[in-house]
Amino acid sequence: MWSNGGALLDAYDDVRARLFVRLEGLTDDEYLWEPVPGGWSVRPGADGVFRAEKIEPDPAPAPFTTIAWRMWHIAVECLHVYVTTAFERVEIFEWPGAAAVWPGTAAEAVAALDAQFTRFRDQMSKLDDEALAGSAGPFAAELSVHTYGGLLLRALDESTHHGAEIGLLRDLYRHRPRARPPRRGHSCQYP
């Protein structure tokens, strides 16, 4: 029997699977790579704890963000916050505060992102189509998604959008210019 919730969860699982295939073999250098100066990343503070950089409200234009920051954004600003506010009904008063803490290594970040994908899916899988049409609370309304179904679509959108960006950054990292030794037998000098 067709279920809107089931179809949306299938799409969520597909997006998750594609992202985690793209994260296979992610190195720490790649995870923290900054192809342009002045961007946001995940950096250690004076206490040695890694935190995502964030300013509220977001500046316009938004700064460039690293793979590390985008993983934090999907896991914490999206999935964690959606579960905390819509299912647990806990308001987040101090932002980003403790929510900015994020792993400084690729392997730990992949595991943390996976945990948040699982946590969100576990909550959504408890809802039938009728419950998906129910109010997800005041925070969801701030996102202009008033229902649990709308929140699931928002999670799909954020995960797809930023997951694709992560994939592109991995491609750019792999094909970035590097110093190459001169080829033998060529006397041409290029500026």
Side-chain angles (χ1 to χ4, degrees):
M1 175 195 238
W2 173 262
S3 159
N4 290 327
L8 289 173
L9 284 174
D10 287 347
Y12 179 83
D13 292 340
D14 288 344
V15 167
R16 176 186 186 169
R18 280 186 307 215
L19 173 57
F20 280 86
V21 165
R22 292 295 284 156
L23 291 172
E24 288 176 6
L26 181 67
T27 66
D28 292 345
D29 285 342
E30 200 175 358
Y31 172 67
L32 297 169
W33 178 55
E34 298 183 56
V36 297
W40 284 349
S41 189
V42 174
R43 303 184 197 285
D47 59 1
V49 175
F50 279 78
R51 291 180 179 82
E53 296 172 305
K54 178 79 176 164
I55 300 170
E56 290 287 342
D58 287 339
F64 178 85
T65 56
T66 64
I67 290 174
W69 192 94
R70 291 163 203 255
M71 290 174 70
W72 167 81
H73 174 69
I74 295 169
V76 177
E77 276 197 308
C78 299
L79 302 175
H80 170 76
V81 169
Y82 299 167
V83 170
T84 302
T85 58
F87 289 95
E88 297 169 359
R89 300 294 173 132
V90 174
E91 291 186 40
I92 297 177
F93 295 103
E94 190 177 316
W95 188 253
V101 173
W102 187 247
T105 67
E108 291 173 322
V110 169
L113 178 60
D114 185 53
Q116 291 303 324
F117 263 100
T118 299
R119 182 173 175 245
F120 181 79
R121 192 199 193 290
D122 287 350
Q123 292 297 324
M124 282 294 178
S125 67
K126 296 175 186 175
L127 305 177
D128 60 16
D129 284 353
E130 184 178 336
L132 283 172
S135 173
F139 177 77
E142 289 178 29
L143 297 173
S144 298
V145 295
H146 302 278
T147 65
Y148 284 103
L151 195 61
L152 178 52
L153 286 171
R154 179 69 177 236
L156 273 167
D157 175 65
E158 290 285 343
S159 300
T160 301
H161 171 92
H162 294 293
E165 292 173 333
I166 289 167
L168 176 61
L169 283 170
R170 292 208 68 193
D171 291 342
L172 289 171
Y173 182 84
R174 186 176 63 240
H175 295 288
R176 71 193 182 285
R178 291 179 256 197
R180 296 185 180 145
R183 292 174 33 191
R184 290 186 219 174
H186 290 266
S187 58
C188 296
Q189 297 295 318
Y190 298 99

